[in-house]
Amino acid sequence: MKDKSMTKAITELYLMRLLSVKGTLQQFVDDFFHSVLCSSVGPPAVKYFFDFLDEQAQKHDNVDDQTIDMWKTSSLPLRFWVNILRNPHFIFDIHVNEVVDASLFVIVQTFMDACTKSERKLSRDSPNHKLLYAKEISTYKKMVEDYYKGIREMVPVSNQHMNTHLAKVSRSHTGKLSTQVALHQLYQYANKYYDVIITSFDEDPAAQNKQLALRLQQIVAVLENKVTDP
């Protein structure tokens, strides 16, 4: 009984410290959610890509809103923002110690929970990181829903506008990024799904007008040193 009482006291003390630290960091966590989930300043690329996913959903039967949101969640919040949160040294010149890594893990889990449609019932036996933000999770979920709704209601981004935007971004980062590395990574992806991509281009009227299949074939041929004449 004595050991059980001591364990309970230590657990309660631990939770009190967690709540204290959470209170100190709460504003920073809220600011992160507001910054990431602000559709009013959403990049054109996000609008363009999300509209593309919506268009794909219309082309296929039985694609409900929850599935579409999952596509978007998997492509941006989970693939990009979660990766940055878990690995801040990708962007910042900092060392992430074990304490900071554990704290970031809690925020990552909260962010991921906010992006899911499923509701999980909590109890005293639930993990501490789930209990820590139990009160805020409904607010964060609403922010995610409003974000997707806000992006959907934005003015559509035309192909010309997108091309202009990408050119502007490219010029602003001239000399900062390795275009060869980026091209190689794109090539690896295109080569892996080459047949599927070519077939999709051949079946899509817009891709046919732009001769995307031919362009991809020429690029792959150049990269594989199969072209001898310009």
Side-chain angles (χ1 to χ4, degrees):
M1 291 295 294
K2 183 178 180 180
D3 291 341
K4 186 175 181 180
S5 298
M6 182 176 294
T7 300
K8 181 178 180 182
I10 293 175
T11 301
E12 291 178 351
L13 178 62
Y14 175 68
L15 289 175
M16 289 178 61
R17 291 292 301 272
L18 276 179
L19 291 172
S20 176
V21 174
K22 177 200 171 187
T24 302
L25 300 177
Q26 186 63 53
Q27 187 60 54
F28 297 99
V29 176
D30 288 343
D31 288 345
F32 166 76
F33 272 85
H34 283 291
S35 298
V36 171
L37 302 173
C38 181
S39 60
S40 62
V41 292
V46 173
K47 170 62 177 175
Y48 188 86
F49 181 63
F50 279 12
D51 281 356
F52 167 77
L53 294 179
D54 289 335
E55 291 172 2
Q56 294 305 305
Q58 293 178 358
K59 293 180 179 179
H60 297 79
D61 296 330
N62 301 322
V63 179
D64 54 26
D65 291 340
Q66 183 173 348
T67 300
I68 298 174
D69 286 349
M70 196 64 247
W71 287 354
K72 297 174 182 178
T73 296
S74 299
S75 62
L76 181 59
L78 299 188
R79 180 176 293 273
F80 181 77
W81 290 115
V82 166
N83 197 27
I84 296 301
L85 279 174
R86 290 295 291 146
N87 304 280
H89 58 281
F90 285 177
I91 297 180
F92 305 104
D93 186 16
I94 59 175
H95 170 68
V96 180
N97 57 38
E98 293 182 1
V99 175
V100 173
D101 185 66
S103 299
L104 290 175
F105 172 78
V106 174
I107 299 174
V108 165
Q109 288 297 314
T110 302
F111 185 65
M112 293 174 65
D113 289 343
C115 291
T116 60
K117 293 288 186 179
S118 60
E119 298 289 343
R120 178 178 295 182
K121 294 183 178 181
L122 300 177
S123 66
R124 291 184 177 181
D125 298 327
S126 299
N128 288 332
H129 67 268
K130 298 286 186 180
L131 298 173
L132 203 57
Y133 283 94
K135 293 182 179 180
E136 291 82 6
I137 195 66
S138 60
T139 300
Y140 293 153
K141 282 181 175 291
K142 184 62 166 55
M143 291 174 64
V144 174
E145 293 177 2
D146 290 344
Y147 174 71
Y148 289 145
K149 180 181 179 182
I151 295 295
R152 188 177 292 111
E153 294 175 350
M154 288 175 59
V155 177
V157 178
S158 64
N159 290 334
Q160 182 179 0
H161 184 191
M162 191 63 205
N163 291 334
T164 302
H165 173 71
L166 291 177
K168 181 180 179 180
V169 172
S170 179
R171 288 193 300 270
S172 66
H173 292 85
T174 300
K176 298 179 181 179
L177 301 175
S178 174
T179 55
Q180 291 183 346
V181 172
L183 180 60
H184 180 66
Q185 290 179 342
L186 289 173
Y187 165 71
Q188 287 181 314
Y189 179 86
N191 189 51
K192 182 178 180 180
Y193 301 101
Y194 180 80
D195 293 337
V196 176
I197 295 175
I198 291 296
T199 300
S200 298
F201 283 161
D202 287 338
E203 296 175 350
D204 186 89
Q208 292 175 5
N209 292 333
K210 296 181 180 180
Q211 297 184 318
L212 295 185
L214 175 61
R215 292 185 180 185
L216 177 59
Q217 291 170 346
Q218 291 174 336
I219 292 173
V220 170
V222 170
L223 291 175
E224 294 181 354
N225 295 320
K226 293 182 179 179
V227 172
T228 57
D229 297 324

